[in-house]
Amino acid sequence: GTVASSMWTSSSSGVFVPLFRTGDQVEAYCERRQQWLLGTLKVQTQAAPSSADVGASPCVDYSVVLDGTREVLEDLALECLRKPLSAGERAEVLTDAMDWKEATILEFKRSSQTHKVEFSGSPAKSSVTEVPSSRVRRLFGVGMEVCRYAGLREGWLDCIVVD
């Protein structure tokens, strides 16, 4: 959905605000495996090159140590990171018919990297299923208060989803 910004949360004091911090538990998208995998984040910042424009942002590198295998995914783009989905959270699931269907997260199964979900509006037992993490995304409903990351300089914006 679209968000409407209401307030800047980071300062104009020159303090840079990375999206995540070292030690945060995140899901990282692994291109090779085509799925989201749980792990622990490592953030490294480097000052902008001295030849850069005055006020240039530092470089931030995100890497993730995957739970279980301890494999490291390095130099991840921001779109390859997300906070883990939690029980009770609203989500959308990509169905076999290739459409998004609203559901509620019941649990995350670490061993199989799947989410157990219950589809909305379906009280039958058959509405509960396990799906790969690559088929699950957060649902941001209209009117929901969210924070949007606006980059290193601006940090987080408090917003409301408008459509």
Side-chain angles (χ1 to χ4, degrees), residues 1-5 139-147 158-163:
T2 303
V3 295
S5 302
L139 177 63
F140 299 101
V142 173
M144 185 176 181
E145 292 181 9
V146 297
C147 291
D158 289 330
C159 304
I160 296 174
V161 177
V162 295
D163 68 12

Side-chain angles (χ1 to χ4, degrees), residues 38-91:
L38 197 61
T40 304
L41 192 70
K42 182 178 179 187
V43 179
Q44 291 184 312
T45 57
Q46 301 170 358
S50 58
S51 61
D53 293 334
V54 173
S57 296
C59 297
V60 178
D61 292 319
Y62 296 99
S63 59
V64 172
V65 178
L66 299 178
D67 287 3
T69 66
R70 310 306 297 164
E71 178 184 350
V72 178
L73 303 178
E74 295 180 318
D75 299 320
L76 294 168
L78 288 179
E79 59 268 14
C80 293
L81 298 171
R82 70 180 184 189
K83 292 182 181 179
L85 297 158
S86 24
E89 190 169 351
R90 292 176 57 202

Side-chain angles (χ1 to χ4, degrees), residues 110-129:
R110 286 179 186 256
S111 60
S112 59
Q113 297 288 316
T114 59
H115 292 324
K116 187 174 181 181
V117 300
E118 180 174 26
F119 288 104
S120 300
S122 304
K125 282 187 178 181
S126 62
S127 68
V128 175
T129 189

